[in-house]
Each structure stands twice: as C-alpha cells, then as structure tokens.
Amino acid sequence: MQAKKRYFILLSAGSCLALLFYFGGLQFRASRSHSRREEHSGRNGLHHPSPDHFWPRFPDALRPFIPWDHLENEDPSVHISPRQKRDANSSVYKGKKCRMESCFDFTLCKKNGFKVYVYPQQKGEKIAESYQNILAAIEGSRFYTSDPSQACLFVLSLDTLDRDQLSPQYVHNLRSKVQSLHLWNNGRNHLIFNLYSGTWPDYTEDVGFDIGQAMLAKASISTENFRPNFDVSIPLFSKDHPRTGGERGFLKFNTIPPLRKYMLVFKGKRYLTGIGSDTRNALYHVHNGEDVLLLTTCKHGKDWQKHKDSRCDRDNTEYEKYDYREMLHNATFCLVPRGRRLGSFRFLEALQAACVPVMLSNGWELPFSEVINWNQAAVIGDERLLLQIPSTIRSIHQDKILALRQQTQFLWEAYFSSVEKIVLTTLEIIQDRIFKHISRNSLIWNKHPGGLFVLPQYSSYLGDFPYYYANLGLKPPSKFTAVIHAVTPLVSQSQPVLKLLVAAAKSQYCAQIIVLWNCDKPLPAKHRWPATAVPVIVIEGESKVMSSRFLPYDIIVTDAVLSLDEDTVLSTTEVDFAFTVWQSFPERIVGYPARSHFWDNSKERWGYTSKWTNDYSMVLTGAAIYHKYYHYLYTHYLPASLKNMVDQLANCEDILMNFLVSAVTKLPPIKVTQKKQYKETMMGQTSRASRWADPDHFAQRQSCMNTFASWFGYMPLIHSQMRLDPVLFKDQVSILRKKYRDIERL
C-alpha cells in the first residue's frame, strides 16, 4: 500500500509539471508574437488594441518615492529646468528637518545669556519702514548687544520682509549678499523676518534665497512648511502698524448680553480666479443682508473689468453701502478668510475691535501658536464647511462669547498692538526654547499680564508673582518688609527717620526693616538705631544712586515691600491699614501721597501736578506698598537710558515705578485714607525742603514724564477717583467701635 501511494504522488507531481511547462510556453510564445505584431503594425502605421486595453486603468496606484526636498505637487505640463526647480525650492525645503536640537548652537547662549546681534546696515541698502521698526525694537530691547562675540542670536540688516518679486520693496541679489556675511555660518543661530513671500500666480512660501539653518519668523506660514519649535509664526501687519505702544482694544465695557448689531461681518476683495479665490467667491451664499454681512468687491487691480463675472456689479454696489469701521465696531464675529496668502490684515483688525475672529484659512499656522491658545479667542473654521459657519456661531453661548471677546483684548494689548510687542514676543518664545528649565507655561502666556511682563528668570513658581494667587488658591502674603531710603546723615535722635522706623516696627505685619543708606556720610554706629522687636538691617546703596532703592535685594525675605522716604510721617495704624488694603490688591501700588498727570494742550506735552484734585494717577513710593517683583522688573525690564536719567537727576524714580506698574496691570494705583497734613509735614522737613520748594523739581518731573511716555509709546498712567477708607471712618459712632481709630486723630 505504501508503494502505491508513493507512485501516485510521483505521477501527480509529474502531471502538474507537464501542465505548467505547456501553458507557460504558450504564454511566452504569445507574448513574443504579440510584440512582433505590434512592431510590424508600428512600421505600417497601424495599431490593433490588445485585450488589456478594454480593462480600466488605475494610474499611480502606488506612488513612486519622492525625496523630501522635491515638490510634491509638480505639474507635468509646466516645463521647468532642474536648475530652476532647485533655485525655487532651496529656501523652503532645504532646512525642512531643522529643529533647535539639530540646527541651533546652544553653547553661544550659555555663556552670555540670550543676547541678539543686529548686523550693521550696509551702505546703499534700502530698508523699508516696517523692517526699520523691527530692527529698532530689537536694538531698544534688553536683549540687544553690539558685540557679535556676545550674541546668541543674529538678525540680518538686509530687508527680508517683502520677498514678492513684483514688489517695489523687493531686495535683489539677496542670495549673494547673505552668503558674503562673515557670520552667516549657513544660517545657524540666525533669525529671518518675513511678511510676504512668493508672487503671482502661485504665491509660494519661497523667500528667494537659501536660508540654510536659519529660523523663520514668518507671516502666512503653512503648517506644512512650519517647523515646530524652530520657526515662529507672526501676524501679517501693515506698514502703518505703530512701532511702540499702539492703541488699546476697543472693548470699553463688558456689556451683557455681549451681542452687537451684526452677528458676522466681512468686507474685502473677491478674487475671481487663482489661489485664494474659492472661499471668497462663495461668501455670497452665507450673506443675508441683515445680521450676516459678507461684502466683497471685484473692483481691484488694473484689469478687473476684463475678468468680472455676473455678480461683480451687484457686489460692488452693495460693497459701497457699508462703512467698514462701522461694521467692525458693531459686530460680534468677524470672518477672516484667506487672501492670496494664508494670512490677512483682517486678523489683527478683528482682535483690536473685540470682534471674535472666525478663521477660514485651512493650513495656516496661527500667529504665536506655540504659546497662544487660540481656542480661547477665536473660532477656527474650515473653508470646506463655509455654509455651516452661521449656525455654528449662533450656537455659542453668551458667556462664551464674552470670554472670547475679553481674550481678544488681552492678546491684542499683550502681543500684537505694536511692532515692538510682536518682535519681543518672538524673541521671548525663542529664549524659552533655549532655557527650557525656566520657560513660561501656558497659563502665563494666556492670562494677564502675559508673557512679556512675567520674567521666568525671577522665579519658576507662579506663587512668587502677584498675579496668580487666585488661580493657585493662595492667600496674599501676611508680612511685609519696610525699606527706608535714607539720604541725610543721622545727627539727632529726634530725626523723622528714627520715628518712622519705630512706627513701622510696631506694625503687627512687619517682618523686618531695611535701611538703604544712600548718604555720602559713613554708616552710623549700630547703637544709634533704636531697639525694635523686628530685625533692622542697614545696607549701603549701590553707587548711591536713586535707582538703587528698587534693586531686587536678596535680603528682602517677604513678597510685600513697604517703601518709605526718610522724612515720611506715618503712624503704625496707617501702616497696618495700608497693608490690609494691599492684600486685596497685591498686583497694584497702594499708598498715601497721590499725584496726577494731565495733557497740556498749549504745550502739547504731558504735565505733572501735585495739586489736590478729584482724581489721581500715581501714588508716590515715599509711602507705598507693592510686590517685590516690581523691583526685579524695574531693574531688568526697563532700559538703562531711563534709569540713568533718574540717577542723573536724582529724581523721578517714583514716577517711573508708577509707569511700570500701570503698564503691567492696566490699572491705576490705590490711594488710602487721605492725610491732610502730609504735604505740610513734607514741606517742614529740612532734609528735602529744598527739593519741594525748588521750581526745577517740578520741571524735571514733567520732563521725566514725557521721556517715559515716549519710551513706552503711550501714556500708561490711568486716572482714578477711588480712595479707600476704613469701615466706620468718620461715622457718627463711638470711637471704641472703630478698628483704625487712630487715623481719625491725625
């Protein structure tokens, strides 16, 4: 039986092999004869379709491998030489894989910190005003260095903002000019700013030269070409965008409900053909002429009449009926569709107007997306779902709309209202990447006062800043440090400074007293100071200058600082009350002596007054409480030019501190119970009587105010008519029932 099985298996295998050779030979002969017939018919001009031609074809079922540095959307009908392709794509794709870890030299930053060098301007090179503003913002920042050996980041003086070859601002031969820079190093540690790239008709993101390993701070950049944690997406801004300061947002009142006359608006160009035309050509489907106004015009360009369609005349007529500003200020949502490029001027216009942007620009990497959560300030739409936009925004609850509008105002004022803020935000983002261990988190970037005013070098713990107590569930500090600024020698035990020291030391909230000795005379002996229940530390001021009173001394152990001039007259009760008020407003200056500013129309400048009026905008630091973080901000945020001015005049340091705190908080200081004899007491003191009586003193302070306002780019001081008094203050009740009874006896 086993022998029969073996014979059967061998016979079956032989039969299969015979059949295989037979059919394979037929197919081989058929293919050869078919090829000969095709060759013969080709010679005679004839063609006989094979059976395969009746079956459907599926071209490109498996796409061939394309290297990463080649275009993926090449049009075979367009004949471009290989050299042209290389030149066109070099700047966009050559460094596409660059990241901070691979294309940035961190060692340059470890030695000297984050310093930025701007190449000197070359003779004969034209620079547009917008790029001049960018360079001026860098050179005026605390990051700037004129020494390239100290630099961590390099910025070209060659204008790279407009790389549209049809633009009059286009800089020619930029490739060779950049390559000739001796510090270029293939773009390593370089930052290139760009607003416009590419040209008609494709508007690619090509900047026209090989950027090598340089980072791009670019407007209208696509997510496809954006290199995460390497490039920075910036907003598209106009040439009229202010260099510093900028206007505040237009949301003046938190109206409830937060709805305006129009639900959704847009007014702009309509492109009949080409890139960016699809969405704008479809807007008329959503326009209802009532609360949804989406107005477009074909009337732009020289040859618009040659290309106009059947809707152009009707669209142009309706377009002229409405004023854009009126629409913008009376709309709840503003449509921001893409133009020829992904970005649009409408984006910043909507933010400033507190009109919630509705983004319709697929593939756009939104400005500063690395740190800003745009879901808190905008509606991110999809161009393919245009018809769903009205129903989507109508479904948003009123509470959410109000929150969106409030966030637009915060983001506008924190990061976008001036060229300077856009540039500084870009630099701070890069600095955070370099020093990751002290980088800002999302809460800092997306909550007031924002990333530009919260310096992580001060602390990595949010509880050390005065802005986040509520977010962290923390109570404000329960103790303060009194810092007394002494400028006159100690010759008598009855001097006001000693009485002030004793009064402050008796406060239940006082942790320590620091006497900052800025007097030319030597330090008094230790026994000259009165004995107190709290430590008294006497230190000499650095260089004996006025700004030294605001240095971030490590010896200050509390977050709260009670700043005092040596001739200030305060009681312990006044100190206690002022501190309890400050605990409710830890981000502001709280104190006693108030001053105000005004605009002098006759001189067209800011004025300073110490007159007792119905409002004020400053609380002098001669008797005020604030958070010690402002010492760090005063020292490290403000430019040396302003601090040098204060030191040379020996004046205005209190005004500059008020400017700084109001610029950060967007709020006025808080004045507590008025002390009527404060002014007379100050005038009676010998140490500073000459300063208060000197007419040059007020002239200097007016000059200071205008210099400070010029640097900030606007007037940050805010008037207030609020004064906080103790409960039962001067009420007709028994004095024994009042907590701060001694204040009324002063």
Coordinates of all heavy atoms in Angstrom, one line a residue, residues 6-47:
R6 N 3.3 6.1 -3.0 CA 4.5 6.8 -3.5 C 4.4 7.0 -5.0 O 4.6 8.0 -5.5 CB 5.7 6.1 -3.1 CG 6.1 6.2 -1.6 CD 7.6 5.8 -1.5 NE 7.8 4.4 -1.7 CZ 7.7 3.4 -0.8 NH1 7.4 3.8 0.5 NH2 7.9 2.2 -1.1
Y7 N 3.9 5.9 -5.7 CA 3.8 6.0 -7.2 C 2.7 7.0 -7.6 O 2.9 7.8 -8.5 CB 3.4 4.6 -7.8 CG 4.6 3.6 -7.7 CD1 4.3 2.3 -7.4 CD2 5.9 4.0 -7.9 CE1 5.3 1.3 -7.3 CE2 6.9 3.1 -7.8 CZ 6.7 1.8 -7.5 OH 7.7 0.9 -7.4
F8 N 1.7 7.1 -6.8 CA 0.6 8.0 -7.1 C 1.0 9.5 -6.9 O 0.7 10.3 -7.7 CB -0.6 7.7 -6.2 CG -1.8 8.7 -6.4 CD1 -2.6 8.6 -7.5 CD2 -2.0 9.7 -5.4 CE1 -3.6 9.4 -7.7 CE2 -3.1 10.5 -5.6 CZ -3.9 10.4 -6.7
I9 N 1.8 9.7 -5.9 CA 2.3 11.1 -5.6 C 3.3 11.5 -6.7 O 3.2 12.6 -7.2 CB 3.0 11.1 -4.2 CG1 1.9 10.9 -3.1 CG2 3.7 12.4 -4.0 CD1 2.6 10.8 -1.7
L10 N 4.2 10.6 -7.1 CA 5.1 10.9 -8.2 C 4.4 11.2 -9.5 O 4.7 12.1 -10.2 CB 6.1 9.8 -8.4 CG 7.1 9.6 -7.2 CD1 7.9 8.3 -7.5 CD2 8.1 10.8 -7.2
L11 N 3.3 10.4 -9.8 CA 2.6 10.6 -11.0 C 1.9 12.0 -11.0 O 1.9 12.7 -12.0 CB 1.6 9.5 -11.2 CG 0.7 9.5 -12.5 CD1 1.6 9.4 -13.7 CD2 -0.3 8.4 -12.5
S12 N 1.3 12.3 -9.9 CA 0.6 13.6 -9.8 C 1.6 14.8 -10.0 O 1.3 15.7 -10.6 CB -0.1 13.7 -8.4 OG -1.0 12.7 -8.2
A13 N 2.7 14.7 -9.3 CA 3.7 15.8 -9.4 C 4.2 15.9 -10.9 O 4.3 17.0 -11.4 CB 4.9 15.5 -8.5
G14 N 4.4 14.8 -11.6 CA 4.8 14.9 -12.9 C 3.8 15.5 -13.8 O 4.1 16.3 -14.7
S15 N 2.5 15.1 -13.6 CA 1.5 15.7 -14.4 C 1.4 17.2 -14.2 O 1.2 18.0 -15.2 CB 0.1 15.1 -14.0 OG 0.1 13.7 -14.2
C16 N 1.5 17.7 -13.0 CA 1.5 19.2 -12.7 C 2.6 19.9 -13.4 O 2.4 21.0 -14.0 CB 1.5 19.4 -11.2 SG 0.1 18.9 -10.3
L17 N 3.8 19.3 -13.4 CA 4.9 19.9 -14.0 C 4.7 20.0 -15.5 O 5.1 21.0 -16.2 CB 6.2 19.2 -13.7 CG 6.8 19.3 -12.3 CD1 7.9 18.4 -12.1 CD2 7.2 20.8 -12.1
A18 N 4.2 19.0 -16.1 CA 3.9 19.0 -17.6 C 3.0 20.1 -18.0 O 3.1 20.8 -18.9 CB 3.4 17.6 -18.0
L19 N 1.9 20.2 -17.2 CA 0.9 21.2 -17.5 C 1.5 22.6 -17.3 O 1.2 23.5 -18.1 CB -0.3 21.1 -16.5 CG -1.2 19.9 -16.8 CD1 -2.3 19.7 -15.6 CD2 -2.0 20.0 -18.1
L20 N 2.3 22.8 -16.3 CA 2.9 24.1 -16.1 C 3.8 24.5 -17.2 O 3.8 25.7 -17.7 CB 3.8 24.0 -14.8 CG 4.5 25.3 -14.3 CD1 3.4 26.4 -14.1 CD2 5.3 25.1 -13.1
F21 N 4.7 23.6 -17.7 CA 5.5 23.9 -18.9 C 4.7 24.2 -20.1 O 5.1 25.0 -20.9 CB 6.5 22.8 -19.1 CG 7.7 22.8 -18.1 CD1 7.9 21.7 -17.2 CD2 8.6 23.8 -18.2 CE1 9.0 21.8 -16.4 CE2 9.7 23.8 -17.3 CZ 9.9 22.8 -16.4
Y22 N 3.7 23.5 -20.3 CA 2.9 23.6 -21.5 C 2.2 25.0 -21.6 O 2.4 25.7 -22.6 CB 1.8 22.5 -21.6 CG 0.8 22.6 -22.7 CD1 1.2 22.3 -24.0 CD2 -0.5 23.1 -22.5 CE1 0.4 22.4 -25.1 CE2 -1.3 23.3 -23.6 CZ -0.9 22.9 -24.9 OH -1.8 23.1 -25.9
F23 N 1.5 25.4 -20.5 CA 0.8 26.7 -20.5 C 1.8 27.8 -20.5 O 1.6 28.9 -21.1 CB -0.2 26.8 -19.4 CG -1.4 25.9 -19.6 CD1 -1.6 24.8 -18.8 CD2 -2.3 26.2 -20.6 CE1 -2.7 24.0 -18.9 CE2 -3.4 25.4 -20.7 CZ -3.6 24.3 -19.9
G24 N 2.9 27.6 -19.7 CA 3.9 28.7 -19.7 C 4.6 28.9 -21.1 O 4.8 30.1 -21.5
G25 N 4.8 27.9 -21.8 CA 5.4 28.0 -23.1 C 4.4 28.7 -24.1 O 4.8 29.6 -24.9
L26 N 3.1 28.4 -24.0 CA 2.1 29.1 -24.8 C 2.1 30.6 -24.6 O 2.1 31.4 -25.5 CB 0.8 28.5 -24.6 CG 0.5 27.1 -25.2 CD1 -0.9 26.6 -24.8 CD2 0.6 27.2 -26.8
Q27 N 2.1 31.0 -23.2 CA 2.1 32.4 -22.9 C 3.3 33.1 -23.4 O 3.2 34.2 -23.9 CB 1.9 32.5 -21.4 CG 1.7 34.0 -20.9 CD 1.4 34.1 -19.4 OE1 1.5 33.0 -18.8 NE2 1.1 35.2 -19.0
F28 N 4.5 32.4 -23.3 CA 5.7 33.1 -23.7 C 5.7 33.3 -25.2 O 6.0 34.4 -25.7 CB 6.9 32.2 -23.3 CG 8.2 32.7 -23.8 CD1 8.8 33.8 -23.2 CD2 8.9 32.0 -24.8 CE1 10.0 34.3 -23.6 CE2 10.1 32.5 -25.2 CZ 10.7 33.6 -24.6
R29 N 5.2 32.3 -26.0 CA 5.2 32.4 -27.4 C 4.2 33.5 -27.8 O 4.4 34.3 -28.8 CB 4.8 31.1 -28.1 CG 6.0 30.1 -28.0 CD 5.6 28.9 -29.0 NE 4.5 28.1 -28.5 CZ 4.5 27.2 -27.7 NH1 5.6 26.8 -27.1 NH2 3.3 26.5 -27.4
A30 N 3.1 33.5 -27.1 CA 2.0 34.5 -27.4 C 2.5 35.9 -27.2 O 2.3 36.8 -28.0 CB 0.8 34.3 -26.6
S31 N 3.3 36.1 -26.1 CA 3.8 37.4 -25.8 C 4.8 37.9 -26.9 O 4.8 39.0 -27.3 CB 4.4 37.5 -24.4 OG 5.5 36.6 -24.4
R32 N 5.6 36.9 -27.3 CA 6.6 37.2 -28.3 C 5.9 37.6 -29.7 O 6.3 38.5 -30.3 CB 7.6 36.1 -28.5 CG 8.5 35.8 -27.3 CD 9.5 34.8 -27.6 NE 10.4 35.2 -28.8 CZ 11.3 34.4 -29.2 NH1 11.6 33.2 -28.7 NH2 12.1 34.9 -30.2
S33 N 4.9 36.7 -30.0 CA 4.2 37.0 -31.3 C 3.5 38.3 -31.2 O 3.4 39.1 -32.2 CB 3.2 35.9 -31.6 OG 2.3 35.8 -30.6
H34 N 2.9 38.7 -30.0 CA 2.2 39.9 -29.8 C 3.1 41.1 -30.0 O 2.8 42.1 -30.6 CB 1.5 40.0 -28.4 CG 0.9 41.3 -28.1 ND1 -0.3 41.7 -28.8 CD2 1.2 42.2 -27.2 CE1 -0.6 42.8 -28.3 NE2 0.2 43.2 -27.4
S35 N 4.3 41.0 -29.4 CA 5.3 42.1 -29.6 C 5.7 42.2 -31.0 O 5.9 43.4 -31.5 CB 6.5 41.8 -28.7 OG 7.2 40.7 -29.1
R36 N 5.9 41.1 -31.8 CA 6.2 41.2 -33.2 C 5.1 41.9 -34.0 O 5.4 42.7 -34.8 CB 6.6 39.8 -33.7 CG 7.9 39.3 -33.3 CD 8.3 38.1 -34.1 NE 7.4 37.0 -34.0 CZ 7.5 36.0 -33.2 NH1 8.5 36.0 -32.3 NH2 6.7 35.0 -33.1
R37 N 3.8 41.5 -33.6 CA 2.7 42.2 -34.4 C 2.7 43.7 -34.1 O 2.5 44.5 -35.0 CB 1.4 41.5 -33.9 CG 1.2 40.1 -34.5 CD -0.3 39.7 -34.4 NE -0.8 39.8 -33.0 CZ -0.7 38.7 -32.2 NH1 -0.1 37.6 -32.6 NH2 -1.2 38.8 -31.0
E38 N 3.0 44.1 -32.8 CA 3.0 45.5 -32.5 C 4.1 46.2 -33.3 O 3.9 47.3 -33.8 CB 3.1 45.7 -31.0 CG 1.8 45.4 -30.2 CD 2.0 45.9 -28.8 OE1 3.1 46.1 -28.4 OE2 0.9 46.0 -28.1
E39 N 5.2 45.5 -33.3 CA 6.4 46.1 -34.0 C 6.0 46.3 -35.5 O 6.3 47.3 -36.1 CB 7.6 45.2 -33.8 CG 8.9 45.8 -34.5 CD 10.1 44.9 -34.3 OE1 9.9 43.9 -33.6 OE2 11.1 45.3 -34.8
H40 N 5.4 45.2 -36.1 CA 5.1 45.2 -37.5 C 4.0 46.3 -37.8 O 4.1 47.1 -38.8 CB 4.5 43.8 -37.9 CG 4.1 43.8 -39.4 ND1 5.0 43.8 -40.4 CD2 2.8 43.8 -39.9 CE1 4.3 43.8 -41.6 NE2 3.0 43.8 -41.3
S41 N 3.0 46.4 -36.9 CA 1.9 47.4 -37.1 C 2.5 48.8 -36.9 O 2.0 49.7 -37.6 CB 0.8 47.1 -36.1 OG 1.2 47.3 -34.8
G42 N 3.5 48.9 -36.0 CA 4.1 50.2 -35.8 C 4.8 50.7 -37.1 O 4.8 51.8 -37.5
R43 N 5.4 49.7 -37.8 CA 6.1 50.1 -39.0 C 5.1 50.5 -40.1 O 5.4 51.4 -40.9 CB 6.9 48.9 -39.5 CG 8.1 48.6 -38.6 CD 9.1 47.7 -39.4 NE 10.1 47.1 -38.5 CZ 10.1 45.9 -38.0 NH1 9.1 45.1 -38.3 NH2 11.1 45.5 -37.2
N44 N 3.9 49.9 -40.1 CA 2.9 50.2 -41.1 C 1.9 51.2 -40.7 O 0.9 51.4 -41.4 CB 2.2 48.9 -41.5 CG 3.1 47.9 -42.2 OD1 3.3 48.0 -43.4 ND2 3.6 47.0 -41.4
G45 N 2.1 51.9 -39.5 CA 1.2 52.9 -39.1 C -0.1 52.4 -38.6 O -1.1 53.1 -38.5
L46 N -0.2 51.1 -38.3 CA -1.5 50.5 -37.8 C -1.3 50.1 -36.3 O -0.2 49.9 -35.8 CB -1.8 49.3 -38.6 CG -2.0 49.5 -40.1 CD1 -2.2 48.1 -40.8 CD2 -3.2 50.4 -40.4
H47 N -2.5 50.1 -35.6 CA -2.5 49.7 -34.2 C -3.7 48.8 -33.9 O -4.8 49.2 -34.2 CB -2.5 50.9 -33.3 CG -2.5 50.5 -31.8 ND1 -1.5 49.9 -31.2 CD2 -3.5 50.6 -30.9 CE1 -1.8 49.7 -29.9 NE2 -3.1 50.1 -29.8

